[in-house]
Amino acid sequence: MTPPRRVCIGAFAGAHGVKGEAKVKSFTATEESVTRYGLVESEDGKRRFALKFIRVLKPGLALVSAPEIESREDAAALAGSRLYVERSKLPPAGEDEFYIEDLVGLEAADAAGAPMGRVAGVHNFGAGDVIELERVPGKSGAVMLPFTRAVVPKIDIDGRRIIIDRAALDEIEAGGPGEGDL
């Protein structure tokens, strides 16, 4: 039996105060959402936390408490630990929205169906989303492309593939328009 798919919804970012409250960097739509899906668990699945939202510290950063975190030292020791929930607990993605978990592993092809690799990840380094492809025919290493409708005109989650605009890939590799967008 396949283990349930999990999605990373945040990461502990350190202690706050002296009572064991913790800061959590939220990867959800709102900071409070890190507490909305029930128990969250550590990456290795060995620890579970019943997070209670206290308040927003700043955009993207929530203050939480949990009975499993008994002291400031406990909270500080968790810094950097990622928090996961089962994918089935999350709401469906909206139109033109995708969970990164749903994209990773999709096969990439051009409009004619020729293989163009596999999605290894989706990143945002500050200038917009970038899709990382691995196993691109004729290329060594990863290929990074802007994750835009022009470059990725079709995503078929159920069919487990995405369509990449080959002309956009060729233009970016040649150093043409769009290169500065990376």
Side-chain angles (χ1 to χ4, degrees):
M1 182 170 170
T2 305
R5 289 183 11 208
R6 300 182 319 151
V7 174
C8 181
I9 62 166
F12 282 114
H16 183 84
V18 295
K19 298 179 185 176
E21 295 169 344
K23 297 181 272 188
V24 171
K25 180 172 175 49
S26 172
F27 303 150
T28 57
T30 66
E31 293 82 1
E32 189 173 355
S33 293
V34 295
T35 64
R36 289 192 177 153
Y37 307 112
L39 289 175
V40 297
E41 60 183 32
S42 60
E43 190 163 3
D44 63 8
K46 293 181 179 177
R47 294 194 66 187
R48 290 179 176 74
F49 303 92
L51 300 180
K52 179 182 174 195
F53 179 78
I54 298 172
R55 66 184 166 94
V56 174
L57 291 171
K58 65 180 186 177
L61 195 65
L63 180 62
V64 301
S65 65
E68 301 83 3
I69 305 171
E70 297 178 359
S71 68
R72 176 179 177 78
E73 291 74 24
D74 288 348
L78 291 168
S81 300
R82 292 178 172 262
L83 301 169
Y84 291 81
V85 297
E86 287 183 21
R87 170 66 176 87
S88 62
K89 291 183 179 182
L90 299 174
E95 188 173 333
D96 283 336
E97 292 181 338
F98 308 95
Y99 289 108
I100 291 172
E101 167 67 24
D102 293 340
L103 298 172
V104 172
L106 296 184
E107 295 300 321
D110 65 13
M116 292 190 64
R118 181 180 163 279
V119 177
V122 179
H123 312 282
N124 189 315
F125 302 110
D129 291 329
V130 176
I131 194 160
E132 177 185 359
L133 299 178
E134 61 186 6
R135 299 189 329 229
V136 177
K139 309 288 180 210
S140 62
V143 173
M144 306 288 255
L145 300 169
F147 189 27
T148 63
R149 187 176 299 278
V151 176
V152 186
K154 184 172 182 193
I155 298 171
D156 181 3
I157 298 291
D158 294 333
R160 304 286 305 146
R161 70 183 229 164
I162 65 169
I163 302 299
I164 301 291
D165 182 300
R166 185 171 292 277
L169 172 63
D170 293 343
E171 189 172 292
I172 289 165
E173 288 182 343
E179 181 184 24
D181 294 338
L182 293 175

